[in-house]
Amino acid sequence: MSAVQSPHVPDLPGISSAKRRQILDGAARIFAEHGYEGASMSQIARDAGVSKGTLYNYYDSKASLFAAFIEECACEKLPKLFETIGEAQSPEATLEGIATAMIRLTISPLSLMLNRIVVSEAATFPHLAEIFWQVGPCKAIGILSDWLRARTSDGILDVPDPELAAELFYALCQTRITWRKRLQLPVDSDPAHIAMIARAVTRMFLNTFQVGKGPPVPEAIPDAPA
């Protein structure tokens, strides 16, 4: 897999962070409305209130602009996802916090929009999927796998393959609520239901990987609405 070049614009004379923010906000609106293929640099420039020349001074292609948009979303959201990792808490509390944040993230309008665009355009524009993977899921897997590896070294967890375990954890987090949201199906997504799913995910995960745990006994979860 080829490396994805950083979409950041270098700090050069005339480069304005406010202008970049203006462009990215306009790009977000156009991508949300038209998808990637249907969006044009002219539409984005018009929506952002900048000239097409100015837009190309910041981003030399639609691909680099979309990459910058995705990377900015990841840089904003990922730190919130792992707030509990830096706290002196039990593995259960840490993982439950990550699971709760992950569920909230994946059902946010922004995440649902990005998922829809990337999945629908991946066959025609595979580089979009690669960019999305590298700056989002791949980074999240790396952060959690490092934590799992450290807890295994401490003798608290027994995780032979931290990367696989991290992917399994995130897959569990998409149970019940996220998949139905992506398909625009009715589902209870209030805080209490999110917390219930996060607890069930954490208990199932720790029943597999925590040292001294017995057979898994997942928490019963009410049926989703039909």
Side-chain angles (χ1 to χ4, degrees):
M1 181 180 291
S2 60
V4 177
Q5 294 183 344
S6 172
H8 283 314
V9 176
D11 292 328
L12 297 173
I15 296 296
S16 161
S17 60
K19 187 69 70 176
R20 187 185 300 120
R21 171 76 272 151
Q22 185 178 337
I23 291 170
L24 289 173
D25 286 346
R29 291 188 290 269
I30 296 299
F31 286 135
E33 183 176 355
H34 299 284
Y36 179 80
E37 185 174 17
S40 71
M41 294 293 269
S42 296
Q43 289 173 310
I44 292 168
R46 185 164 52 250
D47 189 280
V50 301
S51 70
K52 197 171 178 181
T54 297
L55 176 57
Y56 276 103
N57 284 337
Y58 284 79
Y59 302 102
D60 60 8
S61 67
K62 185 169 67 170
S64 67
L65 175 53
F66 190 75
F69 171 55
I70 293 178
E71 185 170 50
E72 186 199 45
C73 293
C75 289
E76 178 185 348
K77 303 298 182 184
L78 282 182
K80 298 176 183 177
L81 190 61
F82 297 105
E83 286 177 343
T84 57
I85 276 188
E87 301 174 0
Q89 299 189 101
S90 66
E92 183 173 6
T94 298
L95 290 170
E96 191 172 319
I98 295 172
T100 300
M102 174 60 78
I103 296 166
R104 289 173 178 165
L105 174 61
T106 56
I107 66 174
S108 68
L110 176 61
S111 292
L112 292 171
M113 180 266 285
L114 283 174
N115 182 78
R116 184 181 72 248
I117 291 174
V118 172
V119 170
S120 65
E121 308 280 17
T124 307
F125 303 101
H127 62 284
L128 296 184
E130 181 180 345
I131 292 167
F132 179 78
W133 174 261
Q134 291 294 335
V135 304
C138 189
K139 284 187 176 180
I141 291 166
I143 294 170
L144 181 55
S145 65
D146 285 346
W147 182 84
L148 294 172
R149 191 174 291 107
R151 299 295 75 74
T152 297
S153 296
D154 294 338
I156 297 171
L157 301 179
D158 182 11
V159 185
D161 187 338
E163 284 76 18
L164 175 59
E167 291 197 49
L168 290 171
F169 182 81
Y170 292 138
L172 287 171
C173 289
Q174 296 176 69
T175 300
R176 177 60 57 82
I177 300 175
T178 298
W179 279 109
R180 286 171 173 81
K181 281 286 188 179
R182 286 173 178 165
L183 295 172
Q184 301 184 54
L185 296 174
V187 65
D188 180 4
S189 59
D190 67 22
H193 197 207
I194 290 174
M196 185 185 301
I197 299 296
R199 286 194 302 271
V201 166
T202 300
R203 290 179 181 180
M204 183 173 290
F205 187 83
L206 289 177
N207 278 328
T208 300
F209 294 113
Q210 191 165 20
V211 173
K213 276 286 186 178
V217 184
E219 179 178 352
I221 301 174
D223 291 336

